[in-house]
């Protein structure tokens, strides 16, 4: 009797670094802005959206985007506690981003079942994460922590690490980051000018997103 075929292994979660060259870092003050803002970013070619947990509206914004914008890959940023990990995933976050990490936070992110980018700014932090089997990280604050020169210096001794630099990056500086072999994408908010969001000028947001998506 022929044994039944073995089940196929589960598909690996897609890398956040591979979704688009730019990861929009979004601060939502009004939940009503969340869905049109996400639709504008997706229309411009930026499907991955990091909603930072810096406002009371953040979790509801994540939930609204997850429910109403199926083409968006919405995640939670500025995640700094295990409790925020759980709340973000419950709201529909499909990835997590932290500005830094602790053993407790890292354990919670690993257990969450979604991809995550723990934040680093030193070589020692990178080595520690590699020891934990984590190779994709957020480099933050990118410009203040040494920028492209620092990341380039890490590529030789730490070739297994790949980064999403975030913090102070502009459309002018983004291409230099994206040219580095250890950079998968960059994070930024320049495609979300405050006046455009306040005015509901989503076409302008979509246009800036298209320019960002074309950087690589």
């Amino acid at each position: 009797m022929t044994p039944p075929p073995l089940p196929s292994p589960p598909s690996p979660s897609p890398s956040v670094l591979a979704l688009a060259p730019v990861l929009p870092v979004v601060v939502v003050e009004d939940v009503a802005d969340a869905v049109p803002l996400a639709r504008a970013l997706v229309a411009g070619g930026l499907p991955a959206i990091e909603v930072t947990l810096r406002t009371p509206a953040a979790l509801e914004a994540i939930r609204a985007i997850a429910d109403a914008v199926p083409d968006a890959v919405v995640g939670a940023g500025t995640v700094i506690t295990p409790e925020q990990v759980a709340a973000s995933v419950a709201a529909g976050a499909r990835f997590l981003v932290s500005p830094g990490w602790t053993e407790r936070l890292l354990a919670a992110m690993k257990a969450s079942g979604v991809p995550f980018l723990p934040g680093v700014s030193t070589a020692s932090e990178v080595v520690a994460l590699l020891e934990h089997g984590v190779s994709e990280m957020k480099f933050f604050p990118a410009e203040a922590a040494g920028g492209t020169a620092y990341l380039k210096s890490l590529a030789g001794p730490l070739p297994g690490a790949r980064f999403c630099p975030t913090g102070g990056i502009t459309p002018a500086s983004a291409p230099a980051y994206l040219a580095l072999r250890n950079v998968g994408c960059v994070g930024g908010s320049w495609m979300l000018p405050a006046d455009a969001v306040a005015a509901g000028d989503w076409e302008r947001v979509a246009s800036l997103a298209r320019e960002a998506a074309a950087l690589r």
Side-chain angles (χ1 to χ4, degrees):
M1 181 178 178
T2 304
L6 294 173
S8 300
S11 299
S13 298
S15 167
V16 179
L17 303 186
L19 293 173
V22 178
L23 176 61
V25 179
V26 180
V27 179
V28 178
E29 301 285 353
D30 185 342
V31 175
D33 291 333
V35 168
L37 183 153
R39 286 174 175 158
L41 291 172
V42 171
L46 300 180
I49 301 168
E50 176 190 336
V51 177
T52 66
L53 302 185
R54 300 180 192 175
T55 70
L59 288 174
E60 283 305 311
I62 290 170
R63 185 173 287 108
I65 294 170
D67 289 344
V69 193
D71 291 334
V73 181
V74 64
T78 322
V79 176
I80 59 174
T81 69
E83 293 75 19
Q84 288 179 329
V85 169
S88 298
V89 174
R94 293 170 60 184
F95 64 91
L96 305 167
V97 183
S98 68
W101 65 280
T102 65
E103 295 287 342
R104 184 167 171 261
L105 178 59
L106 183 64
M109 290 193 292
K110 279 188 168 185
S112 70
V114 300
F116 56 91
L117 297 174
V120 297
S121 60
T122 70
S124 294
E125 291 170 318
V126 176
V127 171
L129 282 178
L130 290 172
E131 285 186 352
H132 281 284
V134 178
S135 60
E136 296 188 346
M137 312 166 194
K138 172 179 178 174
F139 179 60
F140 176 83
E143 287 289 284
T148 55
Y150 191 88
L151 285 171
K152 188 181 296 185
S153 72
L154 293 181
L158 300 170
R162 297 185 73 238
F163 303 95
C164 173
T166 305
I169 298 176
T170 67
S173 62
Y177 281 95
L178 292 169
L180 300 176
R181 70 173 186 261
N182 58 350
V183 169
C185 66
V186 299
S189 56
W190 69 83
M191 71 296 300
L192 296 160
D195 59 339
V197 174
D201 189 352
W202 307 122
E203 181 49 46
R204 183 180 172 200
V205 171
S207 177
L208 291 170
R210 279 189 286 272
E211 293 174 7
L215 286 175
R216 173 175 290 160

